Amino acid sequence: MSDYCLSLICDPNVSEKLLDTLLATVPDQIFTSTSTFSHGIPHGRLTRDEQVMGRSRSLQIQLVTSEHQLDDLLAQLRRDFPGTGLRYWATELSLQGVIE
């Protein structure tokens, strides 16, 4: 079974809830979160300032997960975050590890 890198992009308004959900759902996983900007967001989701800048503030989260855990996690995110515009993509990993 393959491992995947799951990338999540969320609005800052839901970032704490999303981080809490991940900490509770995948407590043994190390993941990263980074403040970033999103481009191409539908105009109605942008604040007035973001409309002028042409980008919106976002949080990007990346975590490595098994294929089975990925399916379960995506199902939970669909249940817990409907209508939030949470975006995701998953990339199969060819290599990963820890250098100790």
Side-chain angles (χ1 to χ4, degrees):
M1 193 172 273
S2 298
D3 284 338
Y4 287 81
C5 178
L6 174 63
S7 297
L8 301 164
I9 304 291
C10 72
D11 184 288
N13 294 328
V14 298
S15 63
E16 287 304 317
K17 180 180 176 186
L18 179 57
L19 291 169
D20 288 346
T21 297
L22 293 173
L23 287 168
T25 305
V26 289
D28 298 333
Q29 297 292 102
I30 294 174
F31 59 90
T32 61
S33 61
T34 307
S35 294
T36 190
F37 290 101
S38 294
H39 304 269
I41 302 296
H43 198 68
R45 288 186 174 255
L46 300 175
T47 67
R48 187 170 279 139
D49 288 342
E50 291 172 339
Q51 290 173 19
V52 171
M53 293 186 317
R55 62 183 183 251
S56 64
R57 295 189 186 284
S58 299
L59 182 75
Q60 179 179 13
I61 298 167
Q62 290 188 303
L63 65 105
V64 174
T65 183
S66 68
E67 186 174 0
H68 175 72
Q69 191 176 36
L70 175 64
D71 293 338
D72 292 346
L73 181 56
L74 289 175
Q76 180 175 358
L77 294 176
R78 286 185 187 100
R79 280 190 314 270
D80 294 350
F81 294 90
T84 61
L86 179 63
R87 306 248 339 154
Y88 71 90
W89 57 86
T91 307
E92 189 171 2
L93 295 178
S94 58
L95 185 64
Q96 67 141 331
V98 176
I99 297 175
E100 296 186 30

